[in-house]
Amino acid sequence: MIRMFNVTKRYGGHIALQGVTLEVETGEMVFVAGPSGAGKSTVIRLITAEEREFEGQILVGRQNLRRMPARLIPALRRSIGVVFQDFKLLPSRTVFQNVALRLEIDGVPSAVVGKKVRHVLKRVGLSGRENAFPLELSGGEQQRVAIARAIAGDPALVLADEPTGNLDLDLTMDILELLEEVNASGATVMMATHSRDILESRDHRVIRLEQGRVVS
Amino acid sequence: MSRFARWPVYYLKTALEGLRRNLALNLVAVLTIGLALMILGAFAFLHVNLERVVVSSTQALSFSIYLKDGLAPRDIEETRRKVSEIPGARSVTLVTKEQALADLRNRLGNQSGLLDGLDENPLPASLELILAPDLDRRRLPELTARLSALPGVDDVSFAWDWADKLKALVRFVNVGGLVMGGLLFLAIVFIIAGTIRLTVVARRDELYILRLMGATESFVRTPFILEGVFQGLLGGLLALSGLASGHLMLATQIQLPLGLSLIRLVFLPLSWSLGLVLVGGLLGFLGSFLSLSRRVGL
Ligand SMILES: Nc1ncnc2c1ncn2[C@@H]1O[C@H](COP(=O)(O)OP(=O)(O)O)[C@@H](O)[C@H]1O
Ligand SMILES: [Mg+2]
C-alpha cells in the first residue's frame, strides 16, 4: 500500500527525513514511533501529497507521487482518510455536517449521504449526537467524529497522526480499538505516536524514527 | 450523471451561509454595489429618455416659418407658393393661429387651463416646411437667409437648431456614462474581490481541511464565486428598485416646470433593467474570481 525508497525531505537547510525506506502492506496496521521532531508527521504529509518536494521515491497504492501531476492530488486524498491530534473538525458545522462533508466531496448522491453518515456515526459510537457542534463534545468524542469522517468514504488507507495525543489513557485505548476495528474491516492503518504505553499495549508492527532516520 | 451535477445544493447552501456569516460586511458591500449600479442606471435612464426626444424631433428635417400678424389670405398664399419653390422642399403646410393654439392646448393636456385667461391669441400663424431628408446640411444657413427674406415672414426657426444641441447632450451623457461606467465597474469588482477575500481568509482553516480531504479546486472555490455573484445580483436589484422609485417620484410627485412636463419620462426597458441586474451578477463573478486567484491554505 505504501512504499518509500530512500526518501529525504529538507526544509531549507534543515533535514526532516533522511534516506527513509519503509513499506506498509495492504491490510496491515503499523505504528510509526519516535520522539517529537523525529519526522513522523512529515512521513504522513508526504503520503497525502501535502508536501510535494522530496528526494527518493514514494508509492501510494498504484500512484508514484514523484510522477503524479498536481491535478490527481484530490483523487489521491479522497482515497485516504486522515485523523489528526487536533481533530481538525469544522467548528461551525454540526457533527452530521462534518461527516457529510467528506461524502459530499466524494460526490456521494445527497439521498445516500444521510444514511451513510448515520451508519458511520453508529460505528464510532456517536448515534444521537448528529446535531451537536464539535465544541460541545469531549475530546474523545471529537476524535470519534474525526475518525467517522475519515472512514465515511471507506478509504483503503487511514493515516492517524498522534490521534490520541490530546486524550487520557482510557480514551486513548478506546480510539485505538476503534482504529483496530477499521483495520479489521479492511483498511490499511498507519498511526504515528510517541507514546510508549500505546506501543507496549499492542503488538502491531512498529517503524521507529529518530532524527529523520528509520532506526528499526 | 457526473459528480458535478450533485453539488449545486452544497454550493448554494455554503454560499448563502457565507453571506449570512458575514452579514454586516456583506450588507455594506451590497449597498455600495447598489449605489454604484444606481448611478450607472441613472445614466442609462437619461440616455433612454433623451434619445426618445431626439428621435421624435428629427424624424423630419423641417423649418417653422412664422408669419407676420394680420396678413391677408392672398399674401399668405403668395408666401406659401414662394416657400414651396425653395430647392429641396417636400411639403409646405399652413398652421393658422387657431390651429397653433389648439395644438398648444393639446400638448399642455390638463394644464391647458393656463390658456383660458388669454384675451387674444398670442401665437403666430406659421408655414411648416418639410425638406428632403438627404438635403445637404451645409445649405441650411443659405436657406434660412432666403426664407427670412421672403415678404410676410417674421421669423424662421430650424428644428435642428435644438435637435443638434440635444444630440450634443446625448453624446455627453453617453460618453459620461461610459467613463463613469468603466470606473464604477472597476470599483464594484474591487469591492466584491475585497469582501470575498476577507471571507476566504477568515475561512482558511476550512479550506485547508477541504483540500486535505481531496476537494477539487472547483469544489473549494465555487461557493465563494457564488457568494460574489449573489452580492452583485442583490446590488443590481437594489439599484433597480432605487431607480424605479426615483422614476415614480419624478413622474408623479414633483411638479416639473411647464416645458419639461411635456416630455413624458419613461423607465428603462425591461431588457435594460434585467441587464443591470445581470451586470451586477457578472461583476460579482469577476470580483470573486479575482479574489481567489491567489491561493489561501494548503
Ligand atoms: N514546515 C516546516 N518547516 C520547517 N521545518 C519543519 C517543518 N515541518 C517539520 N519541520 C521539522 O522537521 C522535523 C520533523 O518534524 P515532524 O515530522 O513534525 O516531527 P514529528 O511529527 O515526529 O514530531 C522537525 O525537526 C521539525 O522541526
Ligand atoms: Mg508530529
Side-chain angles (χ1 to χ4, degrees), chain B residues 23-35:
Chain B
L23 197 59
L25 179 70
N26 281 311
L27 275 181
V28 172
V30 167
L31 275 175
T32 321
I33 296 160
L35 256 169

Side-chain angles (χ1 to χ4, degrees), chain B residues 123-138:
Chain B
L123 298 176
S126 65
L127 293 168
E128 299 299 320
L129 165 62
I130 295 187
L131 295 165
D134 54 356
L135 187 84
D136 184 358
R137 285 180 54 189
R138 279 169 302 190

Side-chain angles (χ1 to χ4, degrees), chain B residues 158-175:
Chain B
F158 180 58
W160 269 28
D161 283 354
W162 64 281
D164 275 354
K165 283 187 189 121
L166 254 182
K167 277 196 166 165
L169 183 61
V170 169
R171 255 196 306 280
F172 177 78
V173 166
N174 288 351
V175 171

Side-chain angles (χ1 to χ4, degrees), chain A residues 50 78 93 102 104 107, chain B residues 3 6-7 206 208 213-214:
Chain A
E50 197 179 330
R78 286 198 294 272
R93 304 202 189 207
R102 157 87 270 173
E104 278 160 349
Chain B
R3 50 197 304 137
R6 303 187 191 115
W7 284 336
E206 189 172 336
Y208 169 78
M213 287 200 286

Side-chain angles (χ1 to χ4, degrees), chain A residues 125-166:
Chain A
L126 281 178
S127 288
R129 306 308 306 269
E130 283 88 349
N131 294 321
F133 285 91
L135 295 179
E136 297 166 4
L137 301 178
S138 72
E141 287 172 319
Q142 287 184 57
Q143 196 56 295
R144 285 167 182 278
V145 177
I147 292 175
R149 181 180 67 181
I151 64 174
D154 291 320
L157 175 61
V158 174
L159 305 173
D161 190 355
E162 309 214 31
T164 59
N166 285 347

Side-chain angles (χ1 to χ4, degrees), chain A residues 39-76:
Chain A
K40 306 180 294 293
S41 298
T42 304
V43 166
I44 286 175
R45 286 201 303 270
L46 282 168
I47 296 170
T48 58
E50 197 179 330
E51 296 290 356
R52 292 274 283 155
E53 304 264 299
F54 59 89
E55 294 151 45
Q57 297 292 333
I58 303 177
L59 300 175
V60 178
R62 282 201 230 125
Q63 287 288 355
N64 180 333
L65 298 200
R66 176 160 290 290
R67 296 212 201 103
M68 187 179 68
R71 70 186 155 79
L72 292 185
I73 292 177
L76 170 79

